[in-house]
Amino acid sequence: MKTTCTNYIAFEFLSRSANEAFARGAVACFAAQLDPTLEELGDIKTAVSEAVTNAIVHAYPDRLGRIAVKARVLEENVLEITVRDWGRGIADVEQARQPLYTTGGEERSGMGFTIMESFMDRLTVRSSQGKGTRVTMRRRIQPRRPVK
């Protein structure tokens, strides 16, 4: 069954840490059309931050590379966000999704995928070594009742 997209944005940037805030803000501004609560918006921003930071730190540990973000509004008030890189890829996605697992050194917590999963309704990770990773997240925004 194909899901209908009613609106989308797509953008690409270099894997510089300064661009993480841009990606988080851009997706939050786009999500505003769904009238999320502040809590929902905070969850979305945190999940985007984690996905983009993972790409910056793990996909391109020793060089700059491309990161692409796409956000779509789907049927039933669902926001879908995809963060993609063309970096080194993940050797074992299931292992990488385990809490506290990291390849980023002692300063990394290893909680990125766990955080994304806790703030979003659905998380899909596809990766190929040497070709990159695609993280897709979905979150249904609860429609608010009009104030009477």
Side-chain angles (χ1 to χ4, degrees), residues 46-47 50-51 54 96-101 109-118 123:
T46 300
E50 292 295 332
N54 273 0
R97 290 182 71 161
Q98 296 303 309
L100 306 178
Y101 177 81
S109 71
M111 295 297 290
F113 287 131
T114 303
I115 291 169
M116 286 180 248
E117 210 161 28
S118 69
L123 174 70

Side-chain angles (χ1 to χ4, degrees), residues 8 15-16 44 75 98 110 123-124 143 145:
Y8 78 93
S15 60
R16 294 188 185 280
I44 290 163
E75 301 166 328
Q98 296 303 309
L123 174 70
T124 305
R145 294 190 175 109

Side-chain angles (χ1 to χ4, degrees), residues 2-3 15 25 50-51 75-76 86 93 116 120 124 148:
K2 188 167 172 111
T3 305
S15 60
E50 292 295 332
E75 301 166 328
E76 298 182 20
W86 290 265
V93 171
M116 286 180 248
M120 303 302 277
T124 305
K148 293 182 182 184

